[in-house]
Amino acid sequence: MRVRMIFAVLLCLILSGCVSGDNEGGGTVAEESILSIREMELLQVEDPDSENLAGMLQRNGSGIMVQIGAGDRLGSGVICGVEQDCLVILTAAHVLAGEEAIRVTFADGLSVVCDDFTCMEVGDAGLLRVKASDIPEENRENYLCAVIDREIFEKTAAGDGCIVMGSRDGVAAEAYEGVLLDHWIYMEDYGCHMMWVRAEGKPGMSGGGLFDRQGRILGILSGENGQGEVAAVPLSLILAQMGTE
C-alpha cells in the first residue's frame, strides 16, 4: 500500500475548494485540476417533513458515492474533492484495513483498482486517491463532489434530521432518514468523540455518508448496533487531522 502524508490530502482538498468555504455551497473544483467534477446540488424543498429526502438524495447525489471492495468485504465511500491528478474519496478506516489494493466502483458502473490510501490516526476514517488516468473522460461528468460546510456542521445539534447513505447492494443503493442523537459524544469503542444517530444501518454502509437534510456531509458512517443506531466520524474530527482546524 502506498501511503501519502496527511497534509498532501489536505492540499488536494484545498485545491478542490471543498474546505475553503469560497462559495455558498462550500466547494469548487480547482482550475488547475485535470478533473472536472461538479459539486452536488443541495436539496431544496419547502416542506422537508412531507418529502422523501432520502430518495431525493439518492437521485441528486448518487454521483458522490462509490462502493468499495476490500478483499471479501464491501464498504462505501464519498467523493470529497479533487487534486491535479486524483479523485479523493472518504471512507471508513476499517474498510481499508489489511488490504494492499481496493476496488472502487462508481455510480455509472466504472470499476478501478486503487492502491493509494491511508487510515487516519484518530477515528475510523480513511482516504483513497484514484488517479485521473484511471477515469475515462466520458465518465467524469457523472461524478459529483460532496458539499462540505464547516459552519453548517458546527450548528448541528441533537434532534436535527439527517440522512445516511451507503452502497451495500449497489452504489448509493441504501439511504434512510434519521435523527441526530448526539453531535459530539465520546465512545470508548472508538477512543474518540463520534456522532450518534438514530437511523437504519446495514453492513456494507460503513464508509458512506451522514448528511444533513439538504445533503451537506456531516460525517462518515462507521458502525451500527443492530438497534437502529449508527455511529459516524464527525466532519470536524476529519478536518482537524488534516490540519484545517
Side-chain angles (χ1 to χ4, degrees):
M1 177 177 67
R2 183 159 54 95
V3 179
R4 303 198 177 197
M5 297 297 288
I6 195 67
F7 52 76
V9 179
L10 168 61
L11 175 61
C12 79
L13 291 175
I14 292 175
L15 287 173
S16 73
C18 284
V19 298
S20 65
D22 290 337
N23 64 21
E24 184 176 353
T28 58
V29 175
E31 293 182 358
E32 297 87 348
S33 175
I34 66 172
L35 285 171
S36 178
I37 307 296
R38 295 173 292 119
E39 188 178 72
M40 190 196 82
E41 293 185 8
L42 295 177
L43 306 183
Q44 303 290 344
V45 294
E46 293 185 2
D47 184 7
D49 293 332
S50 66
E51 299 286 350
N52 178 6
L53 298 179
M56 292 179 65
L57 184 60
Q58 284 179 299
R59 293 190 296 272
N60 289 24
S62 63
I64 69 174
M65 300 297 298
V66 301
Q67 186 177 64
I68 295 175
D72 59 356
R73 304 187 306 277
L74 285 178
S76 307
V78 182
I79 299 172
C80 65
V82 295
E83 198 182 24
Q84 288 185 358
D85 63 345
C86 291
L87 195 64
V88 182
I89 298 169
L90 277 171
T91 186
H94 75 263
V95 173
L96 307 175
E99 301 299 328
E100 294 184 357
I102 301 293
R103 180 161 293 279
V104 178
T105 302
F106 295 88
D108 60 1
L110 177 69
S111 185
V112 302
V113 174
C114 174
D115 62 0
D116 186 355
F117 52 91
T118 187
C119 300
M120 294 187 180
E121 294 183 0
V122 179
D124 183 28
L127 290 136
L128 303 94
R129 302 173 78 249
V130 177
K131 296 177 182 177
S133 58
D134 292 334
I135 306 174
E137 289 189 16
E138 60 268 25
N139 294 83
R140 297 174 189 175
E141 66 181 18
N142 300 322
Y143 310 146
L144 301 170
C145 179
V147 179
I148 297 177
D149 191 321
R150 286 175 293 180
E151 291 186 5
I152 293 295
F153 171 85
E154 295 298 340
K155 294 177 181 178
T156 58
D160 287 351
C162 60
I163 306 168
V164 298
M165 184 161 66
S167 302
R168 178 195 183 201
D169 296 321
V171 179
E174 288 82 30
Y176 308 102
E177 292 188 54
V179 176
L180 187 62
L181 298 175
D182 203 310
H183 174 266
W184 188 254
I185 181 172
Y186 186 82
M187 295 186 176
E188 292 185 2
D189 288 349
Y190 294 94
C192 64
H193 285 81
M194 300 284 281
M195 302 182 80
W196 194 233
V197 179
R198 186 178 301 283
E200 187 170 353
K202 298 179 180 179
M205 291 181 67
S206 292
L210 170 65
F211 303 91
D212 71 6
R213 299 182 88 187
Q214 285 193 280
R216 303 178 187 89
I217 189 165
L218 302 175
I220 292 296
L221 305 181
S222 178
E224 50 86 25
N225 64 3
Q227 301 176 16
E229 295 174 337
V230 179
V233 186
L235 176 64
S236 60
L237 185 62
I238 295 170
L239 297 182
Q241 293 185 83
M242 294 175 178
T244 64
E245 296 181 349

